[in-house]
Amino acid sequence: MDNKKIITDSGIEIKQLYCEPVPMTEKPGEFPFTRGVHAAMYRDRLWTMRQYAGFSTAEESNKRYHYLLSQGVMGLSVAFDLPTQIGYDSDHAMAEGEVGKVGVAIDSLEDMELLFKGIKLQDISTSMTINATAFILLSLYIALAKKQGADIKKISGTIQNDILKEYAARGTYIYPPGPSMRLITDIFEYCSKEVPKWNTISISGYHIREAGSDAVQELAFTLANGKAYLQAAIRKGLDINVFAPRLSFFFNAHNDLFEEVAKFRAARRMWAQITSSLGATDPKAQMLRFHTQTGGSTLTAQQPKNNIVRVTLQALSAVLGGTQSLHTNGYDEALSLPTEEAATIALRSQQIIAYESGATNTVDPLAGSFYVETLTNEVEAAAWKLIEKIDVMGGAVKAIEQGFIQEEIARSSYAYNKDIESGEKVIVGVNKFESKDVSDTPVLKIDDSIRQLQSEKLKALREKRDNAKAMACLDTIREKAETTENLMPAVIDAVENLCTLGEIADVLRGLWGEYRG
């Protein structure tokens, strides 16, 4: 008899053998959607293949977008630099040393035009990883679409817009939780009427996992945040059957293939129960649709080409779990932003899974597996226990304010890294099967001169715009922020009159202050 004890990172014990069938009655596309949100899934339509890209200037990122589109990418996914994420123009003192480094610098509508030069916004789907300044970036995107002559009711895409996980795991917040939630629900309300095909939030477990959580914590904390957004919108008087279909999720695909598949399947079932308990009756309002990115924190600087294998297996877990959209990381991302070669290989891994592996030939191919069905149930049960704890505290916002979620993530991260250091958890090329060979992987470097280029653009913009009109737009934002009126129309008007991202963010900083954690 085998007495070896194997436990997942989430603390779930894995038996040597699974022999008990788990009853299955539901079909794909039917409540609670465990087996997928569509009856035919990938037989009808493949997931959207995205590649997350953005670096340096808008012009440089635009070149990468055109290249990726030529290679078969189905949608764009924009990475913004740190100043853009936290509401500083490139010429601000706080932006020094960070302009264009981890994403593209966007200061104004002119930058947005350069970013999407030669790309019709009505013809593509764009995902933007942006949170605290999501309302400004969405306004810039809408303004550009209007300038291109697009029908904004037909443009599609997603803004991340998930501020709660920023407080808990990532840190690119600006305003306190109350005003931040107001901005989010303003976006829900505005888009439900004016931009109905836009996904107004991508509730992100990805960054919770990158901060060190395990799979169960990622699932529980993400859904608890999602529940908080639903409740905030309902308090604002919005109809859950109208706004909930435009909510999407963003999960991490980590290394344990079967636990990740179980996590994705459990997520759909749990969200269906959460939404229906809050009054959702439309199946589209009960469905959990999600984007997946392979685990950035799993990539190793040692033997970086091993990451190609890791990324492919992680991508396979997302496909077997029923993702609607997928980004695969470049093998060199533990060293730098991905080179063009690394981005191409990452995209090819998705295409090979889609067209060569057979994984897309049937819906939910692992359904009925004694192991996968049991693991799905166990992941779900463990996640509900955490959500119940959060509910007792008063919900996700209270749990974050009390430090509960942060402490849970820190505890999990410590245990995971301790296991790597002890060798109990094997990371190939890091603590086992090491090599003394020095990697010759080329890296992408961003020049510090980018800040000077962006600063010159800003100076020229402020000289040529109608400054009286721009200042009047900023005054209007301030006035409306002191009421309960929706801020989105005023912000769109401001960016159309060439107010900058930093100027708009600063107006609200002056009114609401900054959150200090």
Side-chain angles (χ1 to χ4, degrees):
M1 184 175 177
D2 184 357
N3 291 319
K4 184 177 182 182
K5 193 169 185 178
I6 296 176
I7 297 175
T8 71
D9 295 332
S10 302
I12 295 170
E13 185 174 352
I14 304 302
K15 299 175 187 175
Q16 180 179 331
L17 186 65
Y18 291 80
C19 298
E20 295 296 321
V22 176
M24 289 186 63
T25 56
E26 70 188 73
K27 296 177 182 178
E30 294 181 0
F31 185 93
F33 311 106
T34 312
R35 304 193 61 192
V37 293
H38 303 301
M41 287 299 287
Y42 305 135
R43 287 170 66 100
D44 274 355
R45 179 185 175 188
L46 291 173
W47 63 92
T48 301
M49 298 182 194
R50 298 187 186 277
Q51 284 306 111
Y52 186 49
F55 57 92
S56 184
T57 61
E59 295 94 327
E60 287 301 312
S61 294
N62 177 261
K63 290 176 188 175
R64 177 66 65 88
Y65 295 158
H66 279 284
Y67 172 75
L68 290 170
L69 288 166
S70 75
Q71 296 300 303
V73 160
M74 300 171 182
L76 297 175
S77 187
V78 184
F80 298 98
D81 72 357
L82 193 57
T84 302
Q85 292 182 50
I86 54 178
Y88 293 117
D89 288 333
S90 297
D91 59 357
H92 194 285
M94 291 291 287
E96 189 169 353
E98 294 293 342
V99 177
K101 291 292 176 72
V102 298
V104 62
I106 298 294
D107 295 316
S108 70
L109 183 57
E110 289 188 347
D111 283 334
M112 207 67 160
E113 283 189 82
L114 291 169
L115 186 65
F116 291 102
K117 187 177 180 181
I119 299 169
K120 292 287 186 186
L121 300 191
Q122 193 168 310
D123 297 339
I124 61 160
S125 168
T126 302
S127 173
M128 295 189 281
T129 303
I130 196 73
N131 295 285
T133 53
F135 68 108
I136 306 174
L137 270 298
L138 177 58
S139 296
L140 287 164
Y141 195 88
I142 291 169
L144 178 57
K146 288 164 67 178
K147 199 167 183 181
Q148 287 184 351
D151 180 350
I152 66 167
K153 291 191 182 300
K154 293 180 180 177
I155 62 171
S156 64
T158 304
I159 41 171
Q160 192 160 103
N161 198 28
D162 174 10
I163 204 65
L164 291 180
K165 66 91 177 49
E166 296 295 327
Y167 299 123
R170 192 163 173 264
T172 62
Y173 46 74
I174 303 174
Y175 314 113
S180 294
M181 293 293 276
R182 180 256 178 96
L183 288 171
I184 289 168
T185 54
D186 276 3
I187 290 170
F188 288 177
E189 182 181 49
Y190 176 82
C191 288
S192 67
K193 297 171 184 173
E194 305 297 334
V195 198
K197 293 181 72 175
W198 195 267
N199 295 320
T200 52
I201 193 168
S202 177
I203 304 158
S204 176
Y206 182 84
H207 301 98
I208 291 170
R209 192 65 173 276
E210 290 293 284
S213 80
D214 58 40
V216 166
Q217 290 171 330
E218 178 193 356
L219 177 58
F221 299 155
T222 305
L223 295 187
N225 287 348
K227 187 175 179 181
Y229 294 127
L230 290 176
Q231 291 168 329
I234 290 167
R235 284 195 299 271
K236 193 180 177 76
L238 304 183
D239 183 344
I240 192 170
N241 287 309
V242 174
F243 74 83
R246 301 323 305 171
L247 275 58
S248 66
F249 286 79
F250 174 23
F251 287 114
N252 194 302
H254 216 267
N255 282 336
D256 188 326
L257 178 74
F258 293 106
E259 187 174 46
E260 293 303 289
V261 172
K263 178 187 75 181
F264 299 135
R265 297 173 86 246
R268 279 192 292 271
R269 189 156 70 203
M270 294 174 73
W271 187 244
Q273 293 177 56
I274 288 169
T275 50
S276 59
S277 72
L278 290 173
T281 53
D282 184 340
K284 289 185 178 178
Q286 300 166 336
M287 288 179 186
L288 183 147
R289 297 165 300 112
F290 69 101
H291 169 72
T292 313
Q293 181 173 338
T294 56
S297 62
T298 69
L299 303 177
T300 64
Q302 302 93 326
Q303 302 178 30
K305 288 185 179 173
N306 293 349
N307 294 328
I308 297 172
V309 182
R310 291 186 180 100
V311 166
T312 303
L313 287 170
Q314 291 164 6
L316 181 61
S317 77
V319 171
L320 293 173
T323 194
Q324 277 62 67
S325 171
L326 177 61
H327 163 81
T328 33
N329 289 327
Y331 70 85
D332 56 357
E333 288 189 55
L335 302 168
S336 72
L337 290 168
T339 59
E340 198 168 274
E341 179 201 44
T344 303
I345 292 171
L347 175 61
R348 294 289 180 258
S349 69
Q350 293 199 51
Q351 293 165 335
I352 290 167
I353 291 170
Y355 296 105
E356 298 184 28
S357 73
T360 61
N361 292 346
T362 188
V363 180
D364 196 17
L366 293 180
S369 157
F370 299 161
Y371 176 37
V372 171
E373 294 295 350
T374 302
L375 194 54
T376 299
N377 290 344
E378 290 176 340
V379 167
E380 179 184 5
W384 278 127
K385 284 183 181 177
L386 275 175
I387 289 175
E388 285 163 10
K389 284 185 180 179
I390 291 168
D391 285 344
V392 168
M393 293 177 193
V397 175
K398 294 290 185 186
I400 290 166
E401 289 175 345
Q402 293 173 36
F404 171 74
I405 291 176
Q406 297 93 312
E407 288 169 9
E408 285 286 301
I409 294 170
R411 179 183 55 77
S412 178
S413 178
Y414 176 75
Y416 183 84
N417 284 288
K418 189 177 176 184
D419 285 348
I420 292 172
E421 288 173 9
S422 70
E424 188 171 330
K425 174 170 283 298
V426 173
I427 306 295
V428 173
V430 175
N431 62 3
K432 198 166 187 177
F433 313 113
E434 300 101 318
S435 171
K436 292 181 180 177
D437 294 340
V438 178
S439 171
D440 59 354
T441 301
V443 297
L444 181 66
K445 293 183 178 177
I446 305 300
D447 198 289
D448 284 328
S449 65
I450 300 302
R451 183 168 186 255
Q452 183 61 34
L453 289 172
Q454 286 297 114
S455 296
E456 289 169 3
K457 283 188 198 174
L458 281 163
K459 183 181 178 184
L461 176 139
R462 291 182 181 121
E463 286 174 353
K464 75 179 182 183
R465 73 184 179 184
D466 184 332
N467 279 296
K469 191 174 278 188
M471 293 307 108
C473 289
L474 296 174
D475 287 341
T476 300
I477 292 173
R478 185 182 297 105
E479 290 164 10
K480 291 188 182 300
E482 292 178 317
T483 71
T484 58
E485 195 171 338
N486 195 300
L487 278 173
M488 284 299 293
V491 177
I492 293 169
D493 189 44
V495 300
E496 288 178 330
N497 283 285
L498 301 182
C499 292
T500 68
L501 173 134
E503 289 169 343
I504 295 168
D506 279 348
V507 165
L508 298 178
R509 269 193 186 94
L511 188 64
W512 294 333
E514 293 188 10
Y515 183 69
R516 297 298 179 186

